Amino acid sequence: MTARYTQDKDIAILTVYNPPVNALSAAMRRDLFNGIARAIADPDIIGIVIIGDPVFIAGADIREFGKPATFPGLRDLYPPMEGSPKPIFAAISGAALGGGYELCLACHYRVALASGRVGLPEVNIGLLPGGGGTTRLPRLIGAQPALDLMLSGKHISATQALALGMVDKVFSEDLLGAATMFARERANAGGTHPVLRDRIDKIAGTDPDLFSNLRKQNAAKWRGLTAPGKILDCVEATSTMPFDQAYAFEAEAFDDCLASPARKALIHVFFAERQAAKIEGVGPDIKPRKISKAGVIGAGTMGGGIAMALANAGLTVIQTDVSDEALERGRNIIEANYATSVSRGSMTKQAMEVALGLISSDTDYAALADCDIVIEAAFEDMDVKQTIFRKLDDVLKPGAVFATNTSTLDIDKIATAITRPQDFVGTHFFSPANVMRLQENVRGAATSLETLATVTALAKKIGKMPVLAGNCDGFIGNRILAAYGREADFLLEEGATPWQIDDALMAFGFPMGIYRMRDMSGLDVGWRIRKYREQFRDKSTRYSPIADKICELGRFGQKTKAGYYRYDGRTPIPDPEIETLINQTAADLGIERVAVADDEIVTRILTAMVNEGAKIVDEGFAQRASDVDIVFIYGYGFPRYQGGPMFWAEQRGLKTVCADVERYFAAYGKLWEPAPLLVRLASSGATSWS
Ligand code: 3HC
């Protein structure tokens, strides 16, 4: 039973129960429909309370989208509710989201526990509040605040909801008792009970320019998305049309969203995000260790960002570096970063002071002795890192986690420096670490499940997205990025320009193309790494020298005002000098440059990413294909509404992608060796990676 019917004297109580989040499934709709009918028919009942504990209802059951509709749908619940002569109360504890809050809007009254949260977050999964949310919420609180809530998808607290008028009363305890008493009081007071569909006072006089202005302001931001524009259309409809007409309009708009590619991608991402935090073998029996005090080695950009991320979540942080000067320099940067956040309004002064108060520094490793975790973010050099971990091994308490932020080194080799490799793990943050949300946790050969569970829990605590990677060169993200960059560079030789490639990738949805990204992060770092790796490079494979040649000219990107582009401030300007360099390089290599279509650029780059991603999954360095998607969305700006490279491949068809890989393999040789997993799935006719 997903909605249990009980009675408190003359009040009927419907308690929904569908763990873990009380998703409004077909079964729950049926049980609610029957329960409401029973209460209305019972002459001894004077009022009805719908309650869920500890969550109210987190929305429609997302897993049911795309399945055939069954009676009663969400909208079938409303006519008996709104027509009920007995008042119906929603009693909200935990989350009342999406269809859950829309159900509340069809009730006569809404009450909440102070810890409750409400919202219409459908936009986050490519949908609009199609259970009457776009028609009823503006009638309750006005078009502008309703749009603010629906377009942002944010959840707000019960107190904020009270201030907006989204709930009528907030209680600090005994929600059921308070709601029952309130229901009895209102029922006994007699008269009619408020029905939102009848209200127009809040929408009368809505500024018609509101909608056109929002459309204009957000045109770029909403590119590729269906839902935000449709939400706007629906609220405009509700502000200008009779209820029934706007309600029908909403239903059609919802179907349009449901059919949109972005919806499919965003729902894929919703489930992929939740999967990513799951580690095979880590069940409820494996408990993460408690982390409240952390050490950070290195006060550079990365170390500073990590320290900020930890302190922002309330952890005590001790930073160490080789000298007081280095620590002071690092502290100044942290203070300046926080000051910028305060001046931008994204942080309060008080929060800044709390965070700064949590970060201290010391040059002596002894100060780290009682840290629960130490994250090393020193120079990318094996000897440097091993020396650091050797010293840490001497001082850290038993059970402390040893973490390295390396992005390029073999973590098993680093781990040989300590006597407790089971406590050793990679925590690869992305720069700036206080902003970027990806945390690639890298498992070493000896890393224990408990250590993995601990860094996963830490990631959640500090607001990061944890993804588990195996210890291969580049882990998941940078290994695939290498394939991405490699093909882009070859395309330059074959006929494209940096700006054509960047524009094609941006048209696909990346916020920035690869060359602007490289120019922004600085070309010299990659150059140094390439020079070091030259000794290990397989000389029989194709190699593009363009990036090296650009560096040889002293063009290191934005910081030298020239890289792949010339810079006027931060504005990139296509540079004929680079085109000449590319032409000359191609000629030297004997490559005849011909025009490359934008579509081909995107297909080739994404196909290279997918082929590498499939190898990573098959080799066990990623737990699942959707983890690759999460890495690219959270760490590399892959457009969320495209679902990630592996999802893109499923949409294109694994067979087509495999055929493309084979075509490139035939044309370009062994760097395109087809991933065995892709070949297996394509030849078996599989349509998905799992
Ligand atoms: N449908 C189906 N499953 C859902 C779900 C939903 N609406 N919401 C959450 N779940 C599942 C998750 O996939 C997860 O499953 P798993 O354990 O197998 O991985 C489990 O419930 C727990 O979810 P979380 O890990 O996210 O738990 P949290 O406690 O961190 O967060 C939450 C809880 C805030 C409710 C969060 O899950 C959430 O934001 N859910 C989605 C809310 C939403 O988008 N609602 C709108 C749905 S669309 C709709 O209502 C259409 C209507 O307008 C017609």
Side-chain angles (χ1 to χ4, degrees):
M1 196 65 164
T2 59
R4 196 161 43 94
Y5 187 103
T6 52
Q7 249 174 271
D8 179 338
K9 299 182 197 127
D10 48 3
I11 302 295
I13 297 158
L14 286 165
T15 309
V16 292
Y17 180 76
N18 184 20
V21 295
N22 282 343
L24 193 44
S25 61
M28 188 189 284
R29 293 195 303 270
R30 184 200 57 220
D31 291 342
L32 279 171
F33 187 82
N34 292 338
I36 289 164
R38 176 175 162 191
I40 292 173
D42 186 340
D44 294 336
I45 294 296
I46 61 168
I48 303 162
V49 172
I50 304 174
I51 193 165
D53 187 24
V55 180
F56 182 73
I57 294 171
D61 190 333
I62 300 171
R63 291 176 208 274
E64 288 182 0
F65 292 135
K67 292 190 182 157
T70 52
F71 182 85
L74 187 52
R75 286 172 160 236
D76 297 316
L77 295 178
Y78 304 153
M81 288 172 73
E82 291 184 320
S84 163
K86 305 172 184 180
I88 306 183
F89 289 73
I92 303 166
S93 61
L97 302 173
Y101 184 69
E102 289 175 298
L103 185 80
C104 300
L105 289 171
C107 293
H108 301 101
Y109 303 98
R110 291 152 287 278
V111 298
L113 207 54
S115 56
R117 282 177 302 144
V118 301
L120 292 175
E122 286 87 343
V123 72
N124 295 332
I125 50 169
L127 290 172
L128 56 81
T134 72
T135 45
R136 289 191 179 85
L137 187 62
R139 286 176 151 72
L140 182 63
I141 64 172
Q144 171 87 64
L147 278 171
D148 178 38
L149 202 75
M150 291 189 275
L151 291 174
S152 66
K154 67 186 171 194
H155 307 172
I156 59 170
S157 69
T159 335
Q160 289 170 303
L162 182 68
L164 278 172
M166 290 174 68
V167 296
D168 303 301
K169 272 183 194 286
V170 171
F171 303 109
S172 54
E173 57 184 11
D174 187 19
L175 179 65
L176 180 58
T180 310
M181 202 148 69
F182 188 32
R184 193 166 288 128
E185 180 193 305
R186 282 293 152 109
N188 285 330
T192 56
H193 303 287
V195 170
L196 283 176
R197 55 177 291 139
D198 298 338
R199 254 181 96 169
I200 54 156
D201 56 306
K202 291 279 182 182
I203 45 171
T206 301
D207 177 5
D209 290 341
L210 171 67
F211 306 102
S212 51
N213 288 341
L214 280 171
R215 252 179 223 110
K216 263 187 250 145
Q217 282 161 21
N218 291 293
K221 188 170 149 200
W222 292 346
R223 199 166 48 116
L225 300 170
T226 304
K230 292 275 175 192
I231 289 174
L232 211 49
D233 294 348
C234 287
V235 177
E236 187 169 23
T238 216
S239 307
T240 51
M241 295 175 184
F243 181 88
D244 285 334
Q245 217 176 319
Y247 194 50
F249 185 90
E250 180 195 90
E252 259 183 53
F254 182 79
D255 287 345
D256 291 342
C257 291
L258 208 52
S260 70
R263 188 280 298 173
K264 220 174 160 195
L266 291 169
I267 287 187
H268 162 75
V269 176
F270 177 86
F271 287 116
E273 287 168 340
R274 280 147 186 86
Q275 280 294 102
K278 294 182 179 143
I279 298 169
E280 213 188 312
V282 174
D285 53 318
I286 297 192
K287 303 267 179 273
R289 295 180 203 152
K290 194 170 157 284
I291 303 276
S292 52
K293 188 169 183 182
V296 176
I297 310 279
T301 311
M302 204 31 132
I306 296 171
M308 288 170 77
L310 296 165
N312 291 347
L315 275 83
T316 305
V317 184
I318 304 177
Q319 270 199 296
T320 66
D321 209 317
V322 286
S323 65
D324 287 327
E325 294 72 50
L327 286 171
E328 199 184 321
R329 236 186 349 260
R331 175 78 183 189
N332 290 342
I333 295 171
I334 290 178
E335 284 178 3
N337 286 341
Y338 275 133
T340 308
S341 302
V342 172
S343 67
R344 282 196 191 136
S346 57
M347 189 180 212
T348 63
K349 195 154 182 274
Q350 196 194 3
M352 171 180 86
E353 276 156 12
V354 171
L356 280 172
L358 288 168
I359 305 174
S360 62
S361 59
D362 206 311
T363 47
D364 188 351
Y365 278 28
L368 304 171
D370 65 344
C371 281
D372 305 305
I373 185 169
V374 172
I375 302 173
E376 166 276 315
F379 194 64
E380 282 288 90
D381 180 283
M382 184 58 77
D383 291 340
V384 170
K385 291 191 193 275
Q386 286 193 330
T387 308
I388 289 170
F389 280 105
R390 232 171 263 128
K391 287 196 321 197
L392 286 173
D393 199 24
D394 291 339
V395 295
L396 290 197
K397 68 178 182 185
V401 172
F402 295 70
T404 174
N405 179 57
T406 185
S407 56
T408 51
L409 301 176
D410 176 346
I411 74 152
D412 285 329
K413 205 162 165 202
I414 307 176
T416 58
I418 65 167
T419 54
R420 1 177 188 168
Q422 72 279 5
D423 297 329
F424 192 87
V425 68
T427 48
H428 180 206
F429 292 87
F430 289 69
S431 192
N434 52 317
V435 178
M436 294 293 287
R437 289 203 47 211
L438 181 63
Q439 183 180 319
E440 215 179 12
N441 293 329
V442 188
R443 170 188 224 151
T447 311
S448 71
L449 288 174
E450 198 183 314
T451 301
L452 293 180
T454 304
V455 289
T456 303
L458 175 69
K460 288 188 189 168
K461 186 167 177 176
I462 64 175
K464 304 287 178 211
M465 175 57 66
V467 177
L468 182 63
N471 182 27
C472 59
D473 189 16
F475 313 133
I476 300 176
N478 284 343
R479 181 167 157 186
I480 297 177
L481 186 70
Y484 168 159
R486 179 194 81 207
E487 289 310 311
D489 292 347
F490 292 160
L491 282 161
L492 290 182
E493 293 173 356
E494 290 165 32
T497 58
W499 26 102
Q500 186 198 1
I501 292 179
D502 280 355
D503 288 351
L505 291 168
M506 284 163 71
F508 177 77
F510 279 94
M512 198 184 278
I514 183 158
Y515 296 111
R516 285 189 201 183
M517 188 174 85
R518 283 188 188 168
D519 274 356
M520 200 177 74
S521 40
L523 305 180
D524 46 336
V525 182
W527 191 32
R528 204 171 40 236
I529 295 172
R530 284 195 302 280
K531 280 199 264 189
Y532 168 72
R533 292 188 167 198
E534 182 59 19
Q535 52 187 319
F536 313 113
R537 189 169 67 79
D538 174 359
K539 305 287 185 306
S540 66
T541 57
R542 183 175 169 187
Y543 177 82
S544 173
I546 291 174
D548 299 338
K549 290 190 174 188
I550 291 178
C551 288
E552 281 158 21
L553 297 173
R555 300 176 66 128
F556 296 151
Q558 271 189 27
K559 60 183 165 192
T560 57
K561 298 205 170 309
Y564 286 90
Y565 294 82
R566 250 181 341 101
Y567 286 87
D568 179 7
R570 291 188 167 198
T571 310
I573 300 163
D575 189 348
E577 202 182 314
I578 289 297
E579 233 170 318
T580 309
L581 183 148
I582 294 169
N583 281 329
Q584 189 55 54
T585 308
D588 293 347
L589 292 167
I591 298 170
E592 191 192 339
R593 297 184 84 237
V594 290
V596 189
D598 291 356
D599 274 2
E600 174 62 12
I601 289 174
V602 172
T603 304
R604 182 151 146 202
I605 288 176
L606 290 185
T607 306
M609 293 170 80
V610 172
N611 197 39
E612 199 62 36
K615 288 179 187 169
I616 289 174
V617 174
D618 212 18
E619 292 161 13
F621 295 114
Q623 291 191 99
R624 46 188 89 82
S626 62
D627 285 3
V628 172
D629 291 335
I630 295 300
V631 165
F632 265 79
I633 290 168
Y634 278 86
Y636 300 83
F638 197 99
R640 196 178 171 87
Y641 69 84
Q642 298 276 14
M646 305 308 271
F647 177 81
W648 172 86
E650 284 180 349
Q651 302 315 296
R652 187 166 167 77
L654 298 184
K655 216 174 168 151
T656 308
V657 174
C658 190
D660 284 340
V661 171
E662 279 161 354
R663 177 166 59 87
Y664 293 133
F665 183 43
Y668 305 112
K670 72 177 174 191
L671 287 169
W672 277 96
E673 185 103 46
L677 174 66
L678 179 62
V679 175
R680 280 200 309 276
L681 291 175
S683 54
S684 70
T687 53
S688 77
W689 297 103
S690 49

